[in-house]
Amino acid sequence: MWSRFSNPAKFEALAKTAGPIAFWIFAACAVFGLVNGLLFAPAEQYQGESARIMYVHVPAAWMAMGSYSFIALMSLVAFVWRHSLADVAARSAALPGAVFTALALFTGAVWGKPTWGAYWVWDARLTSMLLLLFIYFGYMAVWQAVPEQARAARFARILALVGFINIPIIKFSVDWWNSLHQPASIIRADGPTIDASMLWPLFAMIIAYTALFTWLVFLGMRADLARQRIEKRGARSPSHPVRVSAESEA
């Protein structure tokens, strides 16, 4: 399965088809989720209208963790199977993942002010999410700081896999420590605790964010592959000195 799209030409064909599909899924689900979540879904019983920010915040937090999990998986694939595009995929996912993480932190602060009375508290989930943002920055910095691409890839894979330890900490921090965040209300053994009128717009936004991530990764990978092709052509092209004829010198 991993080797099916290891050929850049096959991947380009896939990306040209799947990329636009992902974008339109994002657009349709975002419109449905935002319109129903912000206009038609009822206000939350205890938090009132301020809870509507969850339609932006919760999917961003999910995708912050999902994007990093994707990076860690691709890093593992690059280590074990030496897949030619795994590093490209992981690298392309880093910036969208960092943006999702920053968005989750920002919207969480906006939501926290009316709910907790403060924009920031050193809550276990907030702190571990902030740490995830720093890990994203570190991962991207490795690619930029190490000039040799093979060494940069090795260092980036190691950082990605070590940093994945933070993902279960974020997920289970509410259960492991006293936290201001509420326990899981969607993925539960006895079913979601959110009313369907609020759950469907939230699901739509989760799908929208996932499709947006997919589209951005495809764009990033295609741009990275185009850059690599240009660099290879430049490396193969010998530099020819400019010859000046005797007539022109005269």
Side-chain angles (χ1 to χ4, degrees), residues 79-170:
F79 257 134
V80 177
W81 287 279
R82 298 291 191 268
H83 196 292
S84 61
L85 296 183
D87 285 325
V88 178
R91 184 175 179 175
S92 300
L95 181 58
V99 172
F100 284 131
T101 307
L103 179 61
L105 288 168
F106 175 75
T107 54
V110 173
W111 194 1
K113 180 61 175 177
T115 306
W116 302 333
Y119 289 111
W120 180 267
V121 292
W122 290 102
D123 175 86
R125 176 161 288 176
L126 285 174
T127 305
S128 54
M129 185 65 78
L130 179 61
L131 176 60
L132 178 63
L133 182 61
F134 292 150
I135 295 173
Y136 271 117
F137 289 158
Y139 179 84
M140 290 186 288
V142 167
W143 283 106
Q144 297 298 321
V146 181
E148 185 184 344
Q149 289 297 294
R151 291 183 63 213
R154 287 196 298 271
F155 291 151
R157 293 170 197 164
I158 293 171
L159 176 59
L161 293 172
V162 172
F164 183 74
I165 297 172
N166 191 44
I167 298 300
I169 293 176
I170 297 173

Side-chain angles (χ1 to χ4, degrees), residues 193-242:
T193 60
I194 301 178
D195 186 77
S197 60
M198 304 168 71
L199 186 62
W200 284 113
L202 186 57
F203 271 144
M205 290 304 296
I206 292 172
I207 295 173
Y209 277 46
T210 305
L212 175 61
F213 171 76
T214 303
W215 178 58
L216 291 174
V217 169
F218 277 138
L219 285 181
M221 292 181 69
R222 294 182 66 188
D224 203 340
L225 291 173
R227 177 187 58 81
Q228 291 180 24
R229 286 195 295 268
I230 293 172
E231 290 177 352
K232 287 180 180 179
R233 288 198 200 106
R236 286 197 299 264
S237 300
S239 56
H240 297 285
V242 177

Side-chain angles (χ1 to χ4, degrees), residues 5-28:
F5 296 107
S6 60
N7 185 304
K10 290 183 178 180
F11 168 77
E12 287 280 355
L14 170 67
K16 286 180 180 178
T17 302
I21 293 174
F23 174 80
W24 288 113
I25 291 175
F26 153 69

Side-chain angles (χ1 to χ4, degrees), residues 61-62 65 69 123-129 164-185 187-189:
W62 279 32
M65 294 186 290
S69 299
D123 175 86
R125 176 161 288 176
L126 285 174
T127 305
S128 54
M129 185 65 78
F164 183 74
I165 297 172
N166 191 44
I167 298 300
I169 293 176
I170 297 173
K171 170 61 179 175
F172 297 108
S173 57
V174 175
D175 304 315
W176 292 345
W177 296 285
N178 292 327
S179 174
L180 293 174
H181 279 83
Q182 68 181 35
S185 56
I187 301 178
R188 295 165 50 94

